[in-house]
Structures are given as structure tokens and as C-alpha cells.
Amino acid sequence: MDQTRRISVFIFFYFLLIGPGYSQITLPGLIADSMVLQREVPLKIWGWASAGEKVSVSFNGKNVKTVTGAGGKWMVKLPAMKAGGPFKMKLIGKNTIVLENILIGDVWLCSGQSNMVHQMRLHNITYAADIAGANYPAIRQYWIPTTTSLAGPKENLPQRSWKSANPKDINEFSVVAYFFAKQLFLKYGIPIGIINSSVGGSSIEAWTSEEGLKNNAELMKLITRNKDTSFVNGINRKALASAGKRKEADQGLKGELKWYETRYQPKGWRNMNIPGYWEDQGIRDLNGVVWYRRELDVPADMVGMTARIHMGRIVDADQFYINGQLIGSTGYQYPQRRYSLASGILKPGKNILVIRVENTAGKGGFVPDKPYYLEAGNHKLDLKGEWQYKVGESYLPVARKGPYMISEQGQPAALYNAMIAPLTNAALKGILWYQGESNVGNANAYRKFLPELIKDWRTHFGQPDLPFYYVQLPNFGDMYYHPVESNLAVIREAALQTLKVPYTGMAVTIDLGEWNDIHPDNKKAVGDRLSLIARHFSYGERNLVYSGPLFESSGIDGNTIVVSFNHTGSGLTAIDGEPLSQFEIAGEDKKFVWAKAYITGNKVVVSADGVPVPKYVRYAWADNPVNPNLYNLEGLPASPFRTDR
């Protein structure tokens, strides 16, 4: 081998050994055009470059310089600045980067699970006017897509961009975060930046760092296991191999004529009502595919214009056909079905509507108490009522002989590592948190997990007093008309107890949920209530009533229990003018019964005829309490509570 070739091979293997590097300035995804930087605190600007490279940063009349270390990392600190903009930032090293349209204002990290994820586009009927009227270039969101890391904390995020609140980009904004930001912007005129780092179906353990979980031996064992990439990959390969596969046997798709085609002639179809679940209408324990069909007469004046189908919610997946054309499909149960129809799909007179519904667990079909209609122009046609149905496929149980998949986003620290750790150099005004549904199965542990998450994030962001405002979960599920136990109530109680942690605030939403939808539509009120908390604590409106009544203490007075509250505002009230509801009382045996309750001053007196010696009291203690009506006169609801824990 000649000398030149030996040198080339040496250089090749040298760079192979030292790994990827940076030959010029590279910035993290968060530091980009149109970003919002936190006002009135020193600012870190960071990135990567070649080792020993000189880097200078010029911004808003300030200029700072540094030299990268051996690993190519660099960081500079800019002095605190007042709100304003837009500004440019110029970074010079071996290359030059100019960032445009930067604002200085308040930056809020918004995290949690799907109710924080949910974008305006998923609620575009309720908030159609808000979407059309969005013209707030100083409200901006940086949305982080779902990403995970089992190996440890990452330094950077997937490349995204900052978007402002305009009629197009507002569709991707978190509904809760947007209305929170809008209230603050309208009140103070300060630019508001939202960093939306949230994942549907995620647990609080996945959002907590390894350091934050160090006292939990079971979770630490999982974290250690998950760092072994070969082990995780091996388990997942075995899980895929052992899961088994169902042979495709949907009769509706097998024949020469598919069941959605207009030339198909239905035979052997039966009747079923929409909405409703097929298990409640004569089909027993079916996981599989059920087809629905209906002939619909459409008036001529509804034809020739765009139209929209509203089909509530469908459990689980659906494909919707009209006159043989697929007009929409959804792969999972939670989004409301709202399918737009281009002009020309509908015909005057008879139209054939066919829906293929696939369900893999639990009851399948159409969720009650949701909208089901076809609209075009000023016309609406009701789609509730009798349809025809036929089973296309019945899934047989598949015996599992191996392990289950290791889902990365469900693993402890996995979301923190990938979606929070890369942000910790950023300065924040505060954090908004909306999560807990995925922890209902281990509700008691949430009492520790939530305070530990708050402490953990404050440590990593280097802000020990960082405000942390969160949502107490809303009502959801079936209503019971007798006292019951409730894991959702335990999660709410954990949130209530977490108010003992300094610089926290809780938005009570026990009145904002929907019994049949874990993603309730009324998210504006959630954002508005969070903004009240921020206005009081973070913006100094000390006289603002920002919370509904919270349990303070209770005392026994003869055959009654007298309950005292704080945050009573201008006074307590039954919001609907009816007697107070959802109070329960029990003696030493803890057998709770419904109680009579009335307001006296800022207290509530509770009693029950069958409990002459009361000891414990509960309020709104259920997954979905029936019309809890204790509020303050400012219209904010009381938090559920109990005294028997």
C-alpha cells in the first residue's frame, strides 16, 4: 500500500472512531427563526461547532463570544432583556447564521398527554370562529413530535419550526395552550411562546428523568434493562413472532363485488340502530368487522355543493363510503368523525352510505350522545336511527406464547430523555401540565409521582421556583346514582394534595368533561382557568379569584359535619339554584350514604338521617359525579375531596 493510500485509510478510520462532529455552527431545533425568548432573565444560547472554534452571538445590541470545547459544544449567556421585538440574531463561526423575527416575551412549556396534545383542528366545529379569527402573530407555538429514548437524555429535538397563531397554523396549536396564551396576550400585550411537548396515552413515569425516579427500585430496574438495546430488540422480535396473525377473511372485501360498491345487492343483512354498540343490539362478544349500510334520500338543493358528514365517535376504526367512494377513514376510536364531501359525491335522490367498522376489544360501534348528521348549506339530514348491518369478520382469539412488545413511549424516563432533556437550557416563565388518565390504574402512586415530577423538572431546568400549574382531571365515564369508589377521584385527590408543593396551582375541571369522551370538547375553559392561576401568581394580580372552593378542614357538630373551605371568593353558592348535591357521609364503618348539605356563610353543613354519629364526608367522589353544584360566586367549581383517606 502506497503512503498516500495509507494516510487516506488512517484519516477514514480516525473519523470513524471519533464519531460524527460539527465542522460549522449547528443550532438545536428550538433556537430558530420566529422563536420566543423569555424576558427579564439571563438567556442561554447554545449549539455545536468544530472543536476550538470561535463563536460569537449578536442579539438586540448585545454581543457575546465563546470558544467551543473539545467535544464541539458551546454556550453563551445573554443578559436579561425586556419584552419586545421582532429582533434578529446573528451567529458567526466558520459559518454565519442569521435568525429572523425573534420576540422576547414569556415562554410556557406545555406537557402531558392527549388532552394537552389535542389541536384546534380536532375541535374545529366548536372553535370555528376562533380559528377563522386567529390573528395573533405574537402568540407562537413550537410543537415537538413524539420521540423517545431508552438509552438516556438526548441533546437535540427533531427539527421543527415556530408557528404563529394565524387561521392556517392555528389548527396545529394545542387548544388548551392556545386559549391560555390568548388570555395572557390580550391582558398584558406580551408575546407568548408555547412549547408543546406532550404525547397521547403517556404515563407520568415516562416524563420523569432517571434521577427523578432513583428512589423507585422497580422503575430503575426497567430503566437499566431498557439501556440494553440488543435485549429490547430481542424481546420485540419475539413478541412480533409470537403475536400470531389473523388471516384476512373480511367477507365484505373478498368477493368480486365489495360491499361498499353501488352494484352490490345486499343479502342477509339485519337491522341495527346508530348510535349504539353492537354488543347491546344482538351481537355477543364480537371482535372483528361489522358493515353498516343505509339508503339516504338527498334533496336536489343539497347537491352540487360541499357537504360534511358528522358521525360522532366510532369504536375503533372506520372507513366511510358514499356511492362507492371512500370519503374518509380513521384508525382509532377517539377523534370525532367529521368527513368533508367534495361537490359531486352526493346525488339527488337515493344515495348509498356504507361504513366498515373494525373493533379489536370491548364494545364496538357508535358512541351514543354524539352528533350524527349530514349537512350541506343550510340543510341537515339526521343519520341516527335504523341502519342495516352484516358481520364481515369475527376475530378468533390468538394464543400468545411469548412476551409482549416493549413500547418505548410507555417506559420510565423515555419521554423525558427525548422531549424534555433537550429543552432544559431554555428559560421558562412556567409549566402547564395536563395528564393523569394513563395513571388511573395506579392512582395511589400518583400522590408521589406528581410532586416528584415537579421537583425533577425544576432541578433540571435550574429554576427551583419554576411555576407549575396543572389540570385536575375532569368528569368522565358512567354516572352512578349511589356512592362508589373511584380511581379517577384518587387521581384528582393526588392533584389536590400536590398544592402543598410551593409555586403550584390547580385548575378544577370537574364540570368540563363528557361522560362518553375522554377528550372533552370544552378545552377553552380549561385554558382560561389555567390563565387565571397564572395571572394571580405569575403576573401579580393578587386580588384575582383564580380557584374554586378547596377543602380546608372539617369538624363534627352533633349529628352533622361542618366543612370549611378556602378560595370561597365572594361566597359559596349552588350554581344551579338547587340543593347541594354529591355530598356523602359515613360513620366509623365508612359505609357512605347520600347526605343533605346546605351553605352557611363560607361553610357547608352535611348530615344524613341514617348516620347519627358521622365521622367522614366526601364530595363529588366518583369518576363522573352527577351534577356537583358547589361553586363560588365567581363561577369556579369546588374540587372533589374526602376526609376518610
Side-chain angles (χ1 to χ4, degrees), residues 14-68:
Y14 172 78
F15 283 104
L16 189 66
L17 287 170
I18 66 171
Y22 298 91
S23 60
Q24 57 184 8
I25 295 176
T26 302
L27 296 173
L30 192 67
I31 299 178
D33 289 329
S34 302
M35 65 180 169
V36 181
L37 295 173
Q38 181 58 43
R39 65 186 173 117
E40 298 174 357
V41 296
L43 296 170
K44 296 177 182 177
I45 305 296
W46 71 99
W48 303 269
S50 57
E53 185 171 345
K54 295 179 181 179
V55 177
S56 69
V57 178
S58 300
F59 179 68
N60 194 18
K62 310 296 182 183
N63 186 271
V64 290
K65 298 180 179 180
T66 189
V67 177
T68 64

Side-chain angles (χ1 to χ4, degrees), residues 112 129 132 164 210 227 269 277 287 384 393 428 519 521 546 643:
S164 65
E210 180 176 346
K227 291 180 180 179
W269 290 61
Y277 301 107
N287 293 327
K384 297 191 296 292
E393 182 178 3
L428 303 175
H519 303 122
D521 221 21
Y546 66 91
T643 65

Side-chain angles (χ1 to χ4, degrees), residues 278-279 283-290 359 362 364 391 393-395:
W278 59 65
E279 276 87 353
I283 298 178
R284 188 174 181 84
D285 297 333
L286 174 74
N287 293 327
V289 176
V290 177
N359 181 53
V391 175
E393 182 178 3
S394 176
Y395 295 155

Side-chain angles (χ1 to χ4, degrees), residues 362-622:
K363 291 184 177 183
F366 297 79
V367 175
D369 198 20
K370 291 291 181 184
Y372 294 88
Y373 60 88
L374 167 66
E375 65 174 345
N378 295 321
H379 300 276
K380 282 187 180 181
L381 296 179
D382 191 359
L383 297 180
K384 297 191 296 292
E386 191 172 273
W387 289 57
Q388 291 183 299
Y389 82 90
K390 191 171 184 177
V391 175
E393 182 178 3
S394 176
Y395 295 155
L396 296 175
V398 177
R400 175 175 289 277
K401 299 179 181 179
Y404 285 91
M405 291 277 292
I406 296 175
S407 171
E408 290 200 11
Q409 72 179 55
Q411 297 303 304
L415 295 176
Y416 170 85
N417 287 340
M419 298 179 68
I420 300 298
L423 302 172
T424 53
N425 284 329
L428 303 175
K429 183 71 172 179
I431 293 170
L432 304 183
W433 177 255
Y434 191 164
Q435 191 275 338
E437 296 93 338
S438 291
N439 283 88
V440 168
N442 61 338
N444 285 312
Y446 209 76
R447 294 189 188 96
K448 287 188 175 181
F449 282 141
L450 184 55
E452 287 173 350
L453 174 90
I454 296 169
K455 180 181 178 181
D456 183 45
W457 284 18
R458 286 173 172 173
T459 298
H460 286 288
F461 279 92
Q463 294 181 250
D465 300 335
L466 184 63
F468 193 102
Y469 307 142
Y470 53 88
V471 179
Q472 187 189 56
L473 294 185
N475 49 309
F476 170 67
D478 294 331
M479 291 182 177
Y480 288 84
Y481 285 81
H482 52 84
V484 293
E485 297 301 324
S486 165
N487 279 345
L488 254 179
V490 174
I491 291 281
R492 295 186 193 113
E493 179 182 59
L496 179 62
Q497 293 171 341
T498 301
L499 288 175
K500 297 174 184 176
V501 177
Y503 309 106
T504 58
M506 180 182 75
V508 178
T509 64
I510 195 64
D511 57 337
L512 300 181
E514 298 176 25
W515 76 270
N516 58 1
D517 201 333
I518 203 168
H519 303 122
D521 221 21
N522 189 0
K523 288 186 163 46
K524 178 181 184 299
V526 180
D528 289 348
R529 289 179 187 177
L530 286 168
S531 74
L532 290 176
I533 299 169
R535 287 171 58 190
H536 175 83
F537 286 114
S538 299
Y539 295 90
E541 294 190 51
R542 298 304 179 198
N543 295 324
L544 179 70
V545 177
Y546 66 91
S547 172
L550 302 180
F551 172 80
E552 185 175 44
S553 64
S554 65
I556 298 170
D557 183 7
N559 65 346
T560 69
I561 296 181
V562 181
V563 184
S564 298
F565 296 87
N566 52 33
H567 298 285
T568 54
S570 302
L572 297 177
T573 187
I575 195 69
D576 53 6
E578 297 293 320
L580 290 179
S581 64
Q582 291 297 298
F583 278 91
E584 313 166 31
I585 203 168
E588 186 68 38
D589 60 4
K590 294 188 178 181
K591 293 182 179 179
F592 283 89
V593 299
W594 293 125
K596 293 176 288 186
Y598 64 90
I599 296 167
T600 174
N602 287 330
K603 302 179 187 294
V604 172
V605 180
V606 190
S607 64
D609 292 339
V611 186
V613 185
K615 187 170 182 179
Y616 306 110
V617 61
R618 293 178 172 182
Y619 172 69
W621 193 263

